[in-house]
Amino acid sequence: MKIDILTLFPSMFDGFLSNSIIKRAIAMEKVQIQIVNIRDYSRDPHKKVDDYGFGGGAGMVLRVDVLYDAIQALKKEDTKVILMTPQGETFTQKKAAVLAQCKHIILVCGHYEGFDERILNFVDMEISIGDFIVTGGEIPAMAITDSMVRLLDGVILEESRRNESFENHLLDYPVYTKPKEFMGYFVPEVLLSGNHAEIEKFRQQQRIEKTRRKRPDLLENGGGYDGEANL
């Protein structure tokens, strides 16, 4: 899998690429991640990429011609181009699983007041990580990249993937470690029994109970996404 991330602030990704699962996945050659500076595609001698919006209003708007040139320079026949925008579809674990099957993805990080609306004619989808605003698309791009990469075969243990939150519309089961007792709170006896069938039964029950208590919407609407739409 290859992921190109278009951004005005490439240095924000330095730590992201050099730690934890992302670093390991790159070393294992499970994924190639390239950080591309949008300014490299500016036709302005001062590398200007934005301008005031027609009709007035606060903030600067990223130019459609600059973004188009950047996308076209990276795009291939099987590429999916995705804008990071609060107006997009809400990102989910199921969407991460679908996107993880793609060969090449371009994530476009917005900034300032946003994109010239005409860029929507040249992308495949818009994605949001939630109903809140952040300064730019870099943090959402990191979250989406991490979510996809950890689903690639061999990056993490299959058992870990299978039992994670949101798999089968359930949250993950609770986990415990030493000490067995802490300030009057005990590890459930079944986890100390060595009976793996009973442990598995307990964990599944706990997944259902935790989901019913904390995220009943997952049980009610089955996750709210069919895993195929808009790709």
Side-chain angles (χ1 to χ4, degrees), residues 31-57:
V31 64
Q32 293 178 285
I33 301 176
Q34 178 179 220
I35 309 301
V36 181
N37 194 332
I38 295 172
R39 295 185 191 278
D40 291 343
Y41 296 91
S42 173
R43 305 174 190 181
D44 183 86
H46 302 292
K47 297 300 180 182
K48 188 176 175 64
V49 297
D50 58 358
D51 214 323
Y52 295 103
F54 289 120

Side-chain angles (χ1 to χ4, degrees), residues 15 39 41 65 68 81 84 100 123 139 143 163 187 205 213 227:
R39 295 185 191 278
Y41 296 91
D65 54 346
Y68 175 82
V81 183
M84 304 292 96
V123 304
I139 292 174
N163 293 315
V187 175
Q205 290 171 340
R213 186 174 69 253

Side-chain angles (χ1 to χ4, degrees), residues 75-133:
K75 190 175 181 181
K76 298 178 175 58
E77 185 177 342
D78 56 0
T79 301
K80 297 293 181 185
V81 183
I82 303 172
L83 290 186
M84 304 292 96
T85 165
Q87 303 173 69
E89 299 176 47
T90 302
F91 192 65
T92 64
Q93 183 69 11
K94 285 194 172 182
K95 189 176 286 291
V98 174
L99 291 175
Q101 304 301 312
C102 297
K103 293 181 179 179
H104 183 214
I105 289 175
I106 298 174
L107 301 178
V108 187
C109 302
H111 223 81
Y112 311 128
E113 184 60 20
F115 305 102
D116 183 310
E117 189 78 3
R118 291 170 291 182
I119 197 60
L120 298 182
N121 296 293
F122 308 104
V123 304
D124 297 297
M125 69 173 66
E126 303 171 77
I127 286 182
S128 167
I129 60 169
D131 292 342
F132 57 92
I133 304 299

